[in-house]
Amino acid sequence: MMRLLYIETYKLFRQSRTYYAILALFFIEAIVLLSAYYQGTGIIDIVLANLKDTFYFQGKLLNGNLIIYFILNSFWFHVPLLCMIIVSGMLTTEYQEKTLETVLMQPVVKWKYLLAKYIVASLFTIFLVLLLALTSFILSYGIFGKGDLVVYTNGLTFFEHDDAFNRLVYAFLFGTLSLVFFSVVSLTLAVMLKESFKTWIVAALFLIVSTLLLKIDLGNDVWNQIAFFKLNNTWQYFFNHNIEWNTIIINSVLMGLYILVTMLVGLFLFQKKDIG
């Protein structure tokens, strides 16, 4: 199994599109940072215009913590989309180039072969999030400095720097589960569809629909709690005044179960499917 993991990792980082995805990640991050640098102060002044007539704000509100929060909000669509394109290509490329047939003619267990891809895909997704988090903290603090974080959820909430830093770290960590889920979904779609463009289109549609359904009330508290698309904003709970740890842990366990079930479905279909 370790040899399969090594081979899949090697193949993933041998593909040029993997590095294009990483460069695209940096490019989007740079756009957010530049936008904040040139327009951030004006946006904050508009948001806080009425409050500044009543309250006195001390300190620099446009700081690294706020920029990292902006990056968090902007990346939960772009990053999973990039991951889904790269991860699905781990299998669709082998279908199209007929290398999968050659590989499975060797003494390789089919489900183990795909499981190695799932594991490497998940690790690659975690790597991207860690890379994003690391560069976000370094660049944001380096350019904009430290300070208190102000966010607008059910009203304006302020967090001191140390508290804000911890909440942002937790948001990245727990948000990673959502991205791993989308990567696993894309690989399962690749098992079913085989072709790259079909898989990319369906994967992108799945992501878009999931994002749209996030804001829709299903009319039932249980479904609002357990539907997979309702779990994708769990990271936002870290920016409530009081962190709802019970809800976060339950959501994370449910998302972990969705990942496992999606993976098992893919393994079952791949094991039964004719590779020809």
Side-chain angles (χ1 to χ4, degrees):
M1 190 65 184
M2 290 302 298
R3 180 169 175 78
L4 284 174
L5 292 174
Y6 171 78
I7 292 171
E8 289 303 322
T9 303
Y10 173 77
K11 288 193 293 186
L12 178 64
F13 283 96
R14 190 166 171 262
Q15 296 176 356
S16 59
R17 61 177 164 224
T18 301
Y19 298 97
Y20 282 122
I22 295 173
L23 288 174
L25 193 71
F26 288 147
F27 180 72
I28 298 170
E29 186 177 13
I31 290 175
V32 174
L33 290 168
L34 286 171
S35 299
Y37 186 82
Y38 287 106
Q39 299 180 336
T41 303
I43 294 172
I44 290 177
D45 287 340
I46 292 172
V47 173
L48 301 179
N50 294 330
L51 290 176
K52 284 188 174 182
D53 295 335
T54 309
F55 299 97
Y56 171 69
F57 294 95
Q58 185 178 13
K60 186 180 179 183
L61 295 179
L62 183 64
N63 56 63
N65 286 320
L66 184 61
I67 303 306
I68 296 167
Y69 182 72
F70 284 162
I71 291 173
L72 270 168
N73 276 279
S74 63
F75 270 76
W76 296 118
F77 180 83
H78 304 95
V79 177
L81 183 60
L82 287 172
C83 287
M84 293 176 93
I85 292 172
I86 299 303
V87 167
S88 63
M90 293 172 64
L91 188 61
T92 56
T93 300
E94 295 184 358
Y95 272 122
Q96 290 177 291
E97 295 178 354
K98 305 296 183 181
T99 56
L100 186 59
E101 296 178 34
T102 305
V103 170
L104 293 181
M105 288 176 64
Q106 309 301 317
V108 177
V109 180
K110 285 176 68 176
W111 69 266
K112 285 187 178 181
Y113 183 74
L114 183 62
L115 179 61
K117 288 184 181 293
Y118 275 121
I119 294 172
V120 170
S122 299
L123 292 175
F124 174 70
T125 304
I126 294 170
F127 165 75
L128 278 186
V129 176
L130 290 176
L131 188 63
L132 171 63
L134 184 64
T135 55
S136 296
F137 278 101
I138 291 174
L139 293 174
S140 297
Y141 286 153
I143 298 172
F144 298 94
K146 300 177 181 179
D148 296 343
L149 172 64
V150 53
V151 300
Y152 186 86
T153 50
N154 296 320
L156 282 176
T157 308
F158 292 83
F159 304 105
E160 293 184 354
H161 168 70
D162 291 339
D163 187 24
F165 175 80
N166 291 331
R167 289 171 184 264
L168 290 166
V169 170
Y170 282 131
F172 272 108
L173 290 175
F174 282 83
T176 303
L177 271 176
S178 176
L179 271 66
V180 170
F181 170 71
F182 284 114
S183 292
V184 168
V185 166
S186 69
L187 196 50
T188 301
L189 289 173
V191 171
M192 294 186 287
L193 300 174
K194 295 185 179 182
E195 295 181 20
S196 296
F197 288 110
K198 286 182 181 178
T199 304
W200 293 348
I201 291 170
V202 174
L205 179 62
F206 181 85
L207 177 60
I208 293 168
V209 171
S210 298
T211 304
L212 293 174
L213 290 175
L214 180 63
K215 301 298 182 182
I216 294 177
D217 186 359
L218 300 179
N220 183 288
D221 291 339
V222 175
W223 283 112
N224 281 329
Q225 177 69 32
I226 67 173
F228 73 88
F229 45 82
K230 290 291 185 180
L231 306 175
N232 291 328
N233 70 335
T234 297
W235 66 274
Q236 285 279 16
Y237 285 101
F238 288 106
F239 301 100
N240 294 337
H241 186 267
N242 296 312
I243 299 177
E244 301 173 31
W245 281 107
N246 288 337
T247 302
I248 291 169
I249 291 172
I250 291 172
N251 287 2
S252 299
V253 170
L254 286 172
M255 184 57 80
L257 289 174
Y258 277 118
I259 292 170
L260 180 60
V261 169
T262 306
M263 196 179 296
L264 289 174
V265 169
L267 291 170
F268 175 78
L269 293 175
F270 189 71
Q271 185 69 25
K272 298 295 183 182
K273 199 181 239 335
D274 181 14
I275 302 302

